[in-house]
Amino acid sequence: MIATAAAAVIATTALAVPAYATGKMRCEAGPQSDWKTRAELEANLVAKGWTIKKSKVDGGCYEVYGTTPEGDRVEAYFHPVSLEKLLVSRRGEILFQKK
């Protein structure tokens, strides 16, 4: 009985925790209907010389894995409404962070 109750508490707690894959960045971006598309973000980055490997939504932000024009393989976060660059990191080292 105690084991069942403990398992229920653990399961409930796990479901209550927000789904932040990395926890590096969180965006309060409002409803997704107001967001620009990931395709638009990727097109903007490619036009600036980036190579995009993958993009996804993480913590309410757009997260991009790719290579910068300078040749750095990075993980970067962008605001989904403004497409503003928020954080760029390479292997745990922060290369850029919006202040």
Side-chain angles (χ1 to χ4, degrees):
M1 179 91 159
I2 293 174
T4 303
V9 168
I10 290 170
T12 302
T13 303
L15 292 174
V17 175
Y20 304 121
T22 61
K24 290 183 181 178
M25 184 60 58
R26 179 177 161 86
C27 293
E28 297 295 335
Q32 286 190 350
S33 60
D34 294 339
W35 293 15
K36 294 184 179 164
T37 66
R38 285 189 358 235
E40 186 176 352
L41 171 63
E42 291 180 15
N44 289 342
L45 292 174
V46 168
K48 293 177 182 175
W50 287 60
T51 302
I52 308 302
K53 181 177 180 183
K54 175 183 171 182
S55 70
K56 64 180 184 175
V57 175
D58 182 27
C61 304
Y62 284 143
E63 179 181 21
V64 174
Y65 294 92
T67 306
T68 67
E70 296 78 28
D72 294 316
R73 291 179 59 190
V74 299
E75 173 182 2
Y77 289 83
F78 298 85
H79 194 278
V81 175
S82 66
L83 301 182
E84 180 179 21
K85 180 171 55 176
L86 303 172
L87 177 75
V88 179
S89 66
R90 175 186 61 209
R91 297 184 183 180
E93 174 190 7
I94 295 176
L95 302 176
F96 170 85
Q97 185 167 16
K98 182 182 181 229
K99 304 228 176 198

